[in-house]
Amino acid sequence: MIMENVQITRPLPRSLPEAQGITSAAISAFLQHMEEQQSGLHSFMLLRHGAVVAEGWWSPYRPELPHSLFSLSKSFTSTAIGLAVAEGLLKVEDKVVSFFPEDAPAVISPNLAIMDISHLLIMGTGHTEDTTPYMVDSKDGNWVKAFLQLPVGKAPGTHFLYNTGATYMLSAILQKVSGLTLLEYLEPRLFVPLGIRNPTWESCPRGINKGGFGLSVSTEDIAAFGQLYLQQGVWNNQRLLPKEWIAAATSKQIGNNDGSPGAVSSDWSQGYGYQFWRCRHNAYRGDGAFGQFCIVMPEQDAVVAITSGNSDMQSIINGVWNILLPAMSMEAKVIESDPAAHAELSLILEQLSIQPELVQKTSALEAVLNGKVYRLGENSHKLEAFMVSFDAEKAVLTLQGMYGEQTVMLGRGEWAESSANILDHKKNLIMSCFTWTAENKLKITMLCVETPFCLTLEVEVHESSIAVKQQFNVSMSADDLEAEFVGHLA
């Protein structure tokens, strides 16, 4: 189903909010609410009737930058399976073990034997815990084999368990039948038609895209993806994805309401489709950890794309339901223009920013700290050495650790740009600043602007040693949120 001679329309069309039946004042109220709640938004884009009516990036985050999608990647993986079904490469009834006879266990349990692609899609594999940690920790790097070796405690299709390993298996199956990675397969079929440029997708040790996470694209790419689904798979009057697949993928395929208090008002208890979550208000979404959202609202003919760094994802969705949704006129496609309200919204969008902290511009202890190497005690983060060098306008942070020596530019009360291996083995684009919060306390802030992560280092300077407190804004593990190190002069 590769589309030939596909017309690419990007950027998406722009419009005044009132011309699409939503007030500028409501969008301003939503943005102000997000600020008051300290929601950690990095970007926001709202589409109504196919046009972008509001868009904003919290500087130094920028429109052209990709952003890690985490589990929002899953919805793209599901889309690839839909395309493969349409091409006749596979069927959702195909058994998972049938694709990997060489990696299947010697004795295939009855539950594993009946597990099919549809069970992977709906997170109904029958596993009783997420398979991902076992797969990632497999010594031979064979994630498929690790998945197939794990016990399947319940009958597939009867039990919802959010299981990122299931999505990886979809990627592995697609690569098996197509001979292409997920990224390569989607390039001509989805990414090129939608104008999504230079997407990247992390891979497992055996070169299979991770599927359940690891995709990075821009905010407008997320919005275009949501708009494709809202348009029932049609883009520029050409069908990219079967309408029947869209209906199946975005409808409730399995229940996920555990009956706990508050489940009724939780957008994680409304049912699950093919790697899409059902929402309240008859909406659906793809989402990823720390607030990466593609929310599709068919009744309002709207799409909301958001990237952020926030562990309280429900609070962001609540803002959409409580403020944006009621403001979308269902009676009139166009409402009366309000130049003053639109001017206020434009100003708010222009001024969105994460301000670099500046408490005390300098300290006499800069001379003590300047250019000195401090050896850090043994620690689980494998950070070995720390050094800061200062000049009038900036500083340079040098860290020695598991990824070798890394250098980060620090603006003095302003953002400075660097590229370094701070989070993982690949280069991260980092915007950083520093300030003295007291005469002997240096604070360094590093925004990894293509991810949800912000890393702060608070350094207390002593005569021949330093105490470093490291803190992340969000983390998959509470144990990784904070750490402390002590360094002594080399």
Side-chain angles (χ1 to χ4, degrees):
M1 197 174 167
I2 300 177
M3 307 301 295
E4 297 179 2
N5 303 316
V6 173
Q7 181 186 356
I8 300 168
T9 307
R10 288 290 295 274
L12 297 167
R14 266 61 178 174
S15 172
L16 293 177
E18 285 76 12
Q20 306 302 333
I22 181 170
T23 64
S24 295
I27 303 171
S28 296
F30 171 79
L31 294 168
Q32 288 165 343
H33 175 74
M34 290 293 114
E35 293 285 81
E36 289 163 7
Q37 297 289 311
Q38 297 184 321
S39 296
L41 264 60
H42 298 158
S43 70
F44 163 75
M45 186 174 281
L46 172 62
L47 279 71
R48 186 101 202 273
H49 305 318
V52 178
V53 296
E55 58 188 309
W57 285 261
W58 278 254
S59 175
Y61 296 85
R62 306 194 296 266
E64 72 276 12
L65 293 180
H67 202 282
S68 302
L69 300 191
F70 285 81
S71 286
L72 176 48
S73 308
K74 291 178 168 71
S75 302
F76 287 82
T77 302
S78 164
T79 302
I81 296 298
L83 290 164
V85 168
E87 290 180 8
L89 293 177
L90 48 79
K91 301 187 295 293
V92 296
E93 299 83 11
D94 291 341
K95 306 305 179 195
V96 175
V97 289
S98 70
F99 296 98
F100 308 104
E102 69 282 5
D103 291 319
V107 178
I108 297 172
S109 70
N111 284 344
L112 178 59
I114 64 172
M115 186 194 302
D116 63 29
I117 288 174
S118 75
H119 299 134
L120 300 175
L121 286 164
I122 68 172
M123 298 295 185
T125 59
H127 291 100
T128 55
E129 58 181 319
D130 186 1
T131 57
T132 314
Y134 299 96
M135 296 161 66
V136 172
D137 291 342
S138 59
K139 290 181 180 176
D140 62 357
N142 187 338
W143 291 13
V144 168
K145 187 174 183 179
F147 179 94
L148 295 175
Q149 302 293 324
L150 291 168
V152 184
K154 295 179 182 287
T158 65
H159 170 72
F160 174 84
L161 176 83
Y162 196 69
N163 183 359
T164 296
T167 320
Y168 170 81
M169 292 300 289
L170 294 171
S171 175
I173 288 169
L174 181 82
Q175 186 160 327
K176 189 87 167 184
V177 299
S178 70
L180 302 169
T181 65
L182 194 50
L183 188 67
E184 291 166 342
Y185 182 81
L186 284 175
E187 183 72 18
R189 296 163 175 84
L190 181 74
F191 295 140
V192 168
L194 264 55
I196 296 175
R197 303 181 189 280
N198 305 315
T200 59
W201 212 317
E202 296 172 14
S203 299
C204 77
R206 297 199 167 201
I208 299 168
N209 292 147
K210 292 177 178 176
F213 60 102
L215 177 62
S216 291
V217 297
S218 72
T219 307
E220 189 160 348
D221 296 336
I222 297 170
F225 179 69
Q227 188 64 31
L228 172 69
Y229 269 76
L230 186 61
Q231 293 170 181
Q232 300 290 301
V234 173
W235 194 260
N236 287 335
N237 299 315
Q238 291 180 288
R239 179 158 295 284
L240 301 186
L241 194 60
K243 186 176 182 179
E244 298 77 16
W245 182 265
I246 300 255
T250 62
S251 60
K252 180 180 175 180
Q253 296 288 348
I254 191 169
N256 58 359
N257 185 334
D258 60 6
S260 60
V264 173
S265 59
S266 167
D267 284 285
W268 278 264
S269 301
Q270 308 301 314
Y272 196 75
Y274 290 168
Q275 310 281 296
F276 284 89
W277 296 90
R278 290 295 305 172
C279 304
R280 291 173 289 164
H281 307 290
N282 199 31
Y284 59 87
R285 72 186 187 283
D287 74 31
F290 316 124
Q292 324 315 314
F293 287 112
C294 178
I295 303 171
V296 182
M297 304 158 67
E299 291 180 1
Q300 289 74 28
D301 194 25
V303 174
V304 178
I306 286 172
T307 62
S308 65
N310 185 348
S311 295
D312 185 5
M313 294 167 63
Q314 184 66 65
S315 67
I316 297 175
I317 303 181
N318 288 346
V320 174
W321 302 153
N322 297 337
I323 303 172
L324 292 179
L325 185 146
M328 295 185 192
S329 172
M330 305 295 281
E331 292 78 31
K333 189 170 181 178
V334 179
I335 57 179
E336 187 177 346
S337 64
D338 188 339
H342 188 257
E344 181 185 1
L345 172 60
S346 298
L347 186 62
I348 291 171
L349 290 166
E350 268 176 40
Q351 294 179 344
L352 293 175
S353 66
I354 299 169
Q355 288 297 317
E357 190 175 356
L358 184 58
V359 178
Q360 181 177 318
K361 191 167 185 178
T362 188
S363 162
L365 288 182
E366 281 188 21
V368 175
L369 195 59
N370 188 38
K372 303 285 198 323
V373 177
Y374 292 83
R375 297 291 175 194
L376 303 177
E378 190 173 331
N379 58 82
S380 60
H381 295 262
K382 299 182 180 177
L383 203 55
E384 299 166 4
F386 175 100
M387 182 180 76
V388 185
S389 302
F390 299 90
D391 67 24
E393 299 301 322
K394 63 183 185 302
V396 179
L397 169 67
T398 304
L399 296 172
Q400 184 74 36
M402 68 174 82
Y403 304 116
E405 185 175 287
Q406 302 298 319
T407 302
V408 180
M409 304 297 295
L410 311 174
R412 193 182 290 272
E414 61 183 22
W415 298 114
E417 185 172 314
S418 305
S419 184
N421 301 58
I422 293 297
L423 296 176
D424 47 36
H425 63 276
K426 64 180 185 296
K427 292 281 186 185
N428 303 112
L429 183 63
I430 305 169
M431 303 298 290
S432 310
C433 68
F434 75 97
T435 182
W436 290 88
T437 57
E439 192 62 21
N440 71 327
K441 290 184 179 178
L442 173 69
K443 183 176 181 181
I444 295 168
T445 303
M446 292 181 275
L447 297 176
C448 299
V449 290
E450 295 176 340
T451 80
F453 300 111
C454 171
L455 172 62
T456 58
L457 300 175
E458 294 181 342
V459 185
E460 193 170 299
V461 185
H462 304 287
E463 189 172 333
S464 60
S465 67
I466 56 172
V468 182
K469 182 178 179 182
Q470 172 182 289
Q471 187 166 27
F472 278 99
N473 59 331
V474 291
S475 175
M476 289 293 187
S477 168
D479 295 338
D480 294 332
L481 279 172
E482 294 186 2
E484 294 187 6
F485 316 100
V486 174
H488 294 276
L489 273 174

